[in-house]
Amino acid sequence: IQSAYDQNVGNINASRTTRLGEQAQGQAAQSATLQQAKGTQDVAAQNAQDEARRQFAEIQQGLQARYGGTTGTGAFASELAGRQTLQNLAQTRQAHSQAILQLDNKLQQVQAVGSLAVQDIEDKTKASLDQAKQQLDSQLQSVRDRQGELMSQKATMAAQAIRDYQTQVNNVNAQNASFKQNLFMQQQAAQNQINAIQEQ
């Protein structure tokens, strides 16, 4: 029983180790994917900002070549292009921040779900170990009960053996007494016959 219990506990702990390893591996893979997505977002946002600045520079050069830097039209057009570029940059930064925030939220969710999964594995492992211990205790108690029954049967059989022995002793003594009595009577009868013959 103890050997089977030890083997059962070993299997439970081995299953726990395997499940924890799989959980950690899955969580690490999801976290790595989200971190990679954050890096991709960073690169995409930087590229978009660089592209907006490049386009503004091209527009400004075109306006400079067409209107010159001193005319009101050139300055006004350059200001409009700059304002639009700043708006584009702001929208790009905002979109990037929202994307990063969503990825961070998903990363936190992955970590939270991972913690719950680990706790669930630990709880189920503890429940399995408790059940195995209860089964062991029940089986050992059954063995102790059987031992008690055997001890009781042993005492009963010993008492019966003593009674049987005493009965046999009594029977032998009674047979001996009956034999002695019969022998005495036979001797007495023989003696009587001898006496009778002597008298004759």
Side-chain angles (χ1 to χ4, degrees):
I1 293 173
Q2 185 66 46
S3 176
Y5 168 74
D6 293 339
Q7 183 177 1
N8 192 17
V9 169
N11 292 336
I12 292 172
N13 287 327
S15 175
R16 169 186 173 274
T17 300
T18 300
R19 293 172 63 192
L20 287 176
E22 292 174 350
Q23 167 58 32
Q25 185 176 2
Q27 183 174 343
Q30 290 179 334
S31 298
T33 300
L34 292 173
Q35 292 291 354
Q36 183 178 2
K38 288 176 66 175
T40 301
Q41 282 290 335
D42 290 338
V43 172
Q46 187 62 46
N47 290 340
Q49 292 176 10
D50 292 342
E51 179 63 20
R53 292 189 184 95
R54 186 187 64 77
Q55 290 179 359
F56 173 70
E58 290 180 357
I59 292 173
Q60 197 170 26
Q61 288 177 0
L63 293 174
Q64 182 75 18
R66 184 170 182 177
Y67 299 106
T70 58
T71 63
T73 302
F76 178 72
S78 178
E79 181 181 352
L80 286 178
R83 189 181 305 165
Q84 185 62 43
T85 299
L86 291 176
Q87 289 178 356
N88 292 340
L89 289 175
Q91 291 175 355
T92 300
R93 291 192 189 96
Q94 184 177 3
H96 174 257
S97 297
Q98 290 178 350
I100 294 298
L101 180 60
Q102 291 177 354
L103 290 173
D104 286 337
N105 289 337
K106 289 182 180 179
L107 185 59
Q108 290 178 357
Q109 291 175 1
V110 167
Q111 294 172 347
V113 170
S115 297
L116 291 176
V118 169
Q119 186 61 48
D120 180 65
I121 292 173
E122 296 292 355
D123 291 342
K124 289 182 178 178
T125 299
K126 183 179 182 303
S128 297
L129 290 174
D130 290 343
Q131 183 178 1
K133 184 64 169 61
Q134 291 175 358
Q135 183 177 1
L136 172 67
D137 292 340
S138 176
Q139 290 176 332
L140 292 179
Q141 183 61 45
S142 177
V143 170
R144 286 189 288 270
D145 292 341
R146 293 177 186 175
Q147 288 176 333
E149 293 174 0
L150 290 175
M151 292 297 294
S152 177
Q153 292 177 1
K154 181 178 178 182
T156 301
M157 293 174 67
Q160 184 63 43
I162 293 174
R163 287 193 296 271
D164 292 344
Y165 168 75
Q166 191 62 47
T167 300
Q168 291 178 357
V169 169
N170 293 336
N171 291 337
V172 170
N173 289 336
Q175 290 175 0
N176 287 340
S178 177
F179 175 76
K180 288 178 180 180
Q181 185 178 4
N182 290 335
L183 182 62
F184 175 77
M185 293 177 65
Q186 292 174 3
Q187 288 176 346
Q188 191 66 36
Q191 186 64 43
N192 291 336
Q193 291 178 357
I194 293 173
N195 292 336
I197 294 172
Q198 287 177 345
E199 289 177 359
Q200 291 177 357

